[in-house]
Structures are given as C-alpha cells and as structure tokens.
Amino acid sequence: YAKQKGRGATVFYEPSMATVVAEHLQLEADLQRAIERHQLSLNYQPIVSLKTQQIVGFEALVRWSHPQRGFVSPIQLIKLAEKAGLIVSMGQLVLSQACQHLLQWKPQFPNLYVSVNLSEIQLRHPNLIAEVEQVLKSLQLPPFSLKLEITESNLMENINHATELLEQLKALKIRLLIDDFGTGYSSLSYLQQLPVDTLKIDRSFVQNIQVGNKDFEIAKTIINLAHSLGLEVVAEGIETGHQVEILAQLGCEFGQGYLFSPPLVDTEVMNFLNQYSVREQGTENREQGIA
Ligand code: C2E
Ligand code: MG
Ligand code: MG
Ligand code: MG
C-alpha cells in the first residue's frame, strides 16, 4: 500500500492495518500449530553454586524458531502466547518437556533440579496445581526436582490470590523463586507473606556491579534482605569473574550467566554435566526430603 506524498516525492510503503492484523493472526496460528506439534524447544542454562562452583540445576528457557521468520525472541513469544490465549498450553508443554529432560539426566545426576518460568496467566489458571502435581507424579520426580520462577510484577496484581496459589504449590514441596527481583514496583511487605524460597537478583544490578557503587549497594541489600527472611539468592546475568567475586563476597549463594554457560540445547546438557562438577548432596534436598 503506497502513500503518495506529492509528485516526485518518496513513496512510503506502509502495511495497512488489515495487513498487520492478518500477519498477526497468521503468527498466532503458526504458534498454535507449533505447540500442537511440539515444535517449541527448550534451552537449559546451568545454575552454579558460587561457593563450590558446582552445578545445582538448570533454568529451562523456551525457544521457537518460526519456519519463515526464524528465531522469535522469548519475550515476544511469551507476549504473543499470552495475547493469543496459548500461554497455558505452551506452559504445559514447557513444564512437561523440562521434567522429561531432567528425568534423562537424573540417573547420573540425581540431585539436579530444573527451574521453569511461569507467566502470571499460568499462575492464575485453575488447573496449574493439578497439572504440576500430575507431571511430577507421572514421571516419579521428587518435588525438589522442580523450581518455579515467578516475576515480581506478576504477583502484585492480587497479592492475596497469588499467596493462596503459591501456598498450594508450596504444599507440593516445590520450591518457588521470585525472578528479576528488584525490577518491579512492588512494596517489600509482600515478601513476608509469600511462601518463596529464593530471590533471583535481576541482571540489571549485576551488569555493572563494582565494590561500593549503587548496584553493589542494591545487590547487598537484596542479599541481606533475603537472608534475614531465610531465603537463598541467585544472581542472574553473570558474565565476569569479577562479578562472581563480588557477589560471593556478599554471600550470594548461586549464580547464572554466560560466564558459566549460555543456555544449552538439551542434547548438549549431558556433555556439559560430564565436564563440570555437579553437586552430589544438597542440604536443601535433604531438608526437602527425597521422595
Ligand atoms: P529470565 O527468566 O529472567 O531469563 C534470563 C534471560 O537472561 C534469558 O533470556 C537468558 O538467555 C538471558 N541470560 C542468561 N545469562 C545471561 C548473561 O550472562 N548475559 C545476558 N545478557 N543475558 C543472559 P531469554 O532466554 O531470552 O528469556 C527471556 C525471558 O523470557 C526470561 O527471562 C523469561 O522471563 C521469559 N521466558 C523464557 N522462557 C520462558 C518460558 O518457558 N515461560 C515463560 N512464562 N517465560 C519464559
Ligand atoms: Mg527466569
Ligand atoms: Mg530472570
Ligand atoms: Mg531477567
């Protein structure tokens, strides 16, 4: 559709509203098909103990390669899935795939866990609890094998409802983590109310951390806050040894980032595990009780 800006002027081609809508619908249809055909994949990024350097688990990160458009960024993919009403079925696929992959690694590495991101729509979906329970049961995975990541913003819309849902997940003995901690707009008071085990410090505070700068003070405050509430801390987006040193010094237990490894395709995970040391006995696991 061309818009003529006067004789001799440049002709601008803009997609009409109808074209934009049609393309969007096509993309939604493509996503739906991809979910039905299990054509989404997962990458796994190791989570490492900053004390012992041992791998304790992996975060599952969804990947979609569109047949024509190529790689779709996960943030965009999640938005698309939420808008199209596909996030619940996509989330089911992610959860069950992640647990199935973990099952393959478990014989050799029984104490690993997999950490799965949940969107707020999934969290509010009435079937979530039953579904999580079902996945663990059908694969005979103990609850410490699964950690669920929820972002702060997602929790705040209805804190009482969120608390209730998280309590139900907690009753299954699954560990819960607040993702991207520090980036939301929420008050801290909800932390005493939510049954979470771990805070994940957002990458934005890790990126430029230097002893004594503002990010350092924020990270320190988050870590101290977490510890005083009995929570553990994971720092995300660690790219340098210097960041590790600082965060470990502050008492941050775990880290994740390109320094240790980028997200890996599932077939690379075993290889990776065989080259690194993996936690053999976690006190956490003992506390949670191995089913
Ligand atoms: P997130 O949960 O905070 O995941 C961490 C993101 O940081 C991932 O991006 C990861 O690839 C990236 N990352 C890891 N280490 C580094 C590092 O050292 N440096 C930098 N610059 N980046 C690093 P990714 O995979 O693009 O995912 C983006 C977001 O999409 C995730 O943020 C999460 O909120 C969402 N997401 C991904 N997979 C899923 C899923 O299965 N379900 C839901 N609901 N959300 C998902
Ligand atoms: Mg996450
Ligand atoms: Mg995060
Ligand atoms: Mg983040």
Side-chain angles (χ1 to χ4, degrees):
Y1 299 83
K3 221 191 239 169
Q4 194 88 44
K5 299 251 169 149
R7 196 172 280 271
T10 319
V11 177
F12 291 94
Y13 290 90
E14 291 178 359
S16 74
M17 208 52 208
T19 313
V20 171
V21 170
E23 276 188 11
H24 190 79
L25 288 176
Q26 182 61 51
L27 198 56
E28 289 187 4
D30 293 343
L31 178 57
Q32 176 153 25
R33 193 154 2 106
I35 294 168
E36 283 163 9
R37 297 182 183 177
H38 293 200
Q39 285 164 344
L40 299 176
S41 60
L42 288 176
N43 276 4
Y44 293 93
Q45 188 173 40
I47 299 157
V48 176
S49 161
L50 298 185
K51 278 182 221 147
T52 65
Q53 305 295 310
Q54 291 175 315
I55 298 167
V56 296
F58 288 88
E59 179 175 8
L61 295 158
V62 70
R63 296 291 181 259
W64 184 34
S65 187
H66 185 278
Q68 282 86 43
R69 293 161 186 251
F71 180 71
V72 180
S73 99
I75 301 283
Q76 237 143 6
L77 173 60
I78 302 304
K79 268 195 215 142
L80 177 71
E82 285 182 342
K83 269 191 168 170
L86 295 169
I87 190 71
V88 168
S89 53
M90 192 177 99
Q92 279 170 355
L93 184 60
V94 167
L95 179 69
S96 74
Q97 257 186 26
C99 287
Q100 282 172 43
H101 281 138
L102 183 71
L103 199 63
Q104 295 174 16
W105 310 325
K106 250 186 140 25
Q108 257 195 76
F109 304 100
N111 296 309
L112 286 179
Y113 67 84
V114 71
S115 205
V116 174
N117 293 284
L118 282 191
S119 117
E120 70 167 307
I121 296 175
Q122 282 176 272
L123 186 66
R124 295 180 198 293
H125 194 268
N127 262 351
L128 176 74
I129 317 286
E131 206 181 277
V132 168
E133 197 172 11
Q134 178 53 37
V135 169
L136 292 178
K137 201 175 154 196
S138 66
L139 299 175
Q140 295 191 297
L141 283 171
F144 76 77
S145 296
L146 181 63
K147 229 163 155 165
L148 295 175
E149 307 201 356
I150 299 127
T151 56
E152 206 180 343
S153 54
N154 298 349
L155 292 168
M156 288 316 294
E157 292 205 354
N158 184 339
I159 187 69
N160 291 328
H161 187 46
T163 305
E164 204 178 294
L165 291 166
L166 295 185
E167 293 283 4
Q168 290 177 48
L169 288 169
K170 203 61 234 175
L172 301 177
K173 300 210 174 89
I174 289 163
R175 285 175 292 164
L176 304 172
L177 169 159
I178 299 183
D179 203 352
D180 302 336
F181 188 78
T183 59
Y185 299 95
S186 46
S187 93
L188 292 176
S189 62
Y190 72 98
L191 268 184
Q192 43 153 299
Q193 173 174 350
L194 295 172
V196 297
D197 310 274
T198 310
L199 300 184
K200 197 181 261 191
I201 301 180
D202 192 66
R203 180 165 67 87
S204 58
F205 303 119
V206 172
Q207 218 167 7
N208 301 309
I209 197 167
Q210 294 287 349
V211 174
N213 73 1
K214 285 187 180 166
D215 291 333
F216 175 87
E217 297 301 334
I218 292 171
K220 186 166 92 181
T221 303
I222 293 174
I223 292 163
N224 290 340
L225 173 69
H227 290 170
S228 61
L229 294 172
L231 312 179
E232 294 186 318
V233 186
V234 181
E236 71 177 14
I238 295 181
E239 296 182 356
T240 70
H242 188 55
Q243 292 164 343
V244 172
E245 256 171 60
I246 295 174
L247 289 159
Q249 194 74 51
L250 291 175
C252 178
E253 286 92 349
F254 305 103
Q256 191 182 343
Y258 297 160
L259 175 70
F260 305 110
S261 167
L264 303 166
V265 302
D266 63 277
T267 50
E268 294 171 328
V269 169
M270 258 307 191
N271 234 336
F272 186 84
L273 284 168
N274 280 314
Q275 285 165 20
Y276 273 75
S277 89
V278 179
R279 177 165 67 183
E280 285 175 5
Q281 264 307 332
T283 44
E284 275 168 306
N285 296 353
R286 279 196 223 109
E287 275 163 28
Q288 302 285 332
I290 297 173

